Amino acid sequence: MILSDRIETPIGNMTLLARDGVMLLLEFEDATDRVAREMKLRFGTEDVQPADDPFGLSTKIRAYFGGDLHAIDGIPTDGGGTDFQRRVWAELKRIPCGVTISYGELARRLNVRELTIDQAP
């Protein structure tokens, strides 16, 4: 079962979806159509049930927006996507808080010389 919570943040209300301790989605509340489409594509007709702070994830997101930038370190996530997208997201999660890298550096870390049509979503 997928659990849903509404989180108020300084940049707008967000919807968090989680299952089995893993954050599946964190999206602005005004993107309900996109969220519904994503849930249908990824999970078919699986129910989404409201929950208060599923798996403590909402607390971590609130702490992050409260200034504890490391509160979200280690949150298990599953954003779906192609194998290539999953590789990119995994590499992005390895970038320490406060550090920036270029797209070129990201490509180097992924050992990608150029994006091919097979890698595009």
Side-chain angles (χ1 to χ4, degrees):
M1 174 186 315
I2 296 174
L3 303 177
S4 172
D5 196 10
R6 179 178 181 269
I7 303 171
E8 293 182 18
T9 78
I11 60 171
N13 296 331
M14 302 187 85
T15 299
L16 179 141
L17 298 179
R19 179 175 66 184
D20 300 329
V22 176
M23 185 167 65
L24 304 173
L25 182 137
L26 182 64
E27 182 63 84
F28 289 102
E29 198 172 60
D30 62 357
T32 55
D33 290 343
R34 185 172 48 234
V35 170
R37 188 172 52 252
E38 175 76 9
M39 290 298 92
K40 184 170 182 161
L41 285 172
R42 287 184 65 195
F43 304 108
T45 61
E46 193 164 348
D47 280 337
V48 175
Q49 299 294 320
D52 184 30
D53 195 19
F55 313 107
L57 296 171
S58 301
T59 294
K60 291 179 180 184
I61 299 298
R62 287 183 185 102
Y64 172 82
F65 281 108
D68 179 0
L69 301 182
H70 294 285
I72 60 173
D73 291 352
I75 288 180
T77 61
D78 179 0
T82 65
D83 288 342
F84 178 72
Q85 288 170 323
R86 288 175 179 269
R87 285 181 51 219
V88 170
W89 294 328
E91 190 59 41
L92 290 172
K93 286 179 76 171
R94 289 185 187 93
I95 302 169
C97 181
V99 173
T100 59
I101 66 168
S102 68
Y103 285 115
E105 173 61 17
L106 179 61
R108 187 192 66 72
R109 292 180 183 190
L110 292 166
N111 198 27
V112 175
R113 292 183 15 209
E114 65 182 62
L115 181 64
T116 66
I117 195 68
D118 294 338
Q119 294 170 313

